[in-house]
Amino acid sequence: MLGVHKPNTVFIGFAWNQLADQSRLLPTQLGGFFCSYSDLMHFTEQTEMGSAEIGEFLTASTFRLFTHREAFRNKMLGILIPHYMSATQEINRRMRNAGNSAGDPDLTYRELSQVIEKMESYNKHVVLMAMPVRDNTYELDPELINLVKSEGVTLLDYRSPVFITDNLFLDEMHLNENGSALLTQQLVVDFAKVRSTLPQ
């Protein structure tokens, strides 16, 4: 029987301020895709979750249809309403820009730091990937840069790669199949360079 090969690198992709402690909690995504019931105690210890958010987390953990409800809704409205998807994306982009222009609060990265330290205790290397977005370039928070330097993790900056053009996006931040393939090819090249510098 072949042994199980355990990866020694953890890749974390992000855009905007998604890695900050102040990022909006998404109970459906957490419960439906990433976590189990046993993780709920950790969330309630680290951040405030109301009864509605806890209920959403538990429901998403139990019912897959609930988890994908927004995708179904967007698909149906996209069929019924002309230009629904493009209009919705433009509204979201303007709201995000308005929030950014109003000034962000001081951001912290305690959760990310704990993840990095936990991975290091398992001899895993963390690679952060600043992902490309369409028509909405973002700045990297100085506190995040400081954390990257102090923790000694790798940051790959893909915010504005010349090989990713607007036609390679499905929406504001998700690449289509061709765009994903191109970014993956570049990641392989870049990670080969990073890996050569890591302790074996």
Side-chain angles (χ1 to χ4, degrees):
M1 182 176 179
L2 296 176
V4 177
H5 178 70
K6 297 181 179 179
N8 58 8
T9 305
V10 176
F11 294 88
I12 303 177
F14 70 96
W16 300 293
N17 293 322
Q18 291 176 338
L19 296 181
D21 299 323
Q22 289 75 17
S23 295
R24 184 169 63 92
L25 193 65
L26 301 174
T28 291
Q29 282 75 7
L30 289 173
F33 299 115
F34 303 110
C35 305
S36 64
Y37 292 101
S38 61
D39 296 310
L40 182 59
M41 182 67 70
H42 171 72
F43 293 130
T44 56
E45 290 176 350
Q46 298 295 325
T47 186
E48 293 184 5
M49 290 183 68
S51 57
E53 292 172 319
I54 293 175
E56 184 179 333
F57 178 94
L58 295 174
T59 304
S61 299
T62 306
F63 301 106
R64 185 62 61 184
L65 186 62
F66 179 83
T67 301
H68 294 284
R69 68 192 187 282
E70 291 187 2
F72 292 138
R73 179 201 64 192
N74 290 337
K75 185 67 174 180
M76 292 303 299
L77 291 176
I79 294 172
L80 297 174
I81 303 175
H83 311 297
Y84 170 78
M85 293 302 296
S86 59
T88 300
Q89 292 165 13
E90 177 63 17
I91 291 171
N92 290 337
R93 184 183 67 80
R94 292 185 180 185
M95 291 179 63
R96 185 177 292 110
N97 287 343
N100 290 339
S101 63
D104 289 317
D106 292 336
L107 301 177
T108 58
Y109 297 89
R110 290 185 299 271
E111 282 286 312
L112 177 61
S113 181
Q114 290 174 13
V115 169
I116 293 171
E117 292 173 2
K118 177 66 72 174
M119 291 300 100
E120 289 178 345
S121 71
Y122 295 141
N123 295 318
K124 310 296 183 184
H125 183 72
V126 174
V127 175
L128 303 180
M129 302 167 56
M131 303 299 286
V133 298
R134 182 173 62 189
D135 298 331
N136 197 11
T137 303
Y138 55 95
E139 299 295 327
L140 295 177
D141 180 36
E143 285 303 313
L144 177 60
I145 300 299
N146 290 337
L147 177 66
V148 167
K149 293 178 179 178
S150 64
E151 296 286 357
V153 301
T154 300
L155 173 62
L156 298 178
D157 190 352
Y158 297 125
R159 287 176 295 165
S160 302
V162 295
F163 58 89
I164 298 295
T165 54
D166 286 352
N167 64 307
L168 295 175
F169 285 88
L170 287 173
D171 53 37
E172 188 176 7
M173 67 175 298
H174 296 101
L175 295 168
N176 61 25
E177 184 175 351
N178 292 333
S180 298
L182 287 173
L183 187 60
T184 300
Q185 291 172 8
Q186 186 62 48
L187 173 60
V188 170
V189 173
D190 293 339
F191 182 59
K193 299 176 184 177
V194 171
R195 190 175 182 182
S196 66
T197 66
L198 298 178
Q200 300 298 318

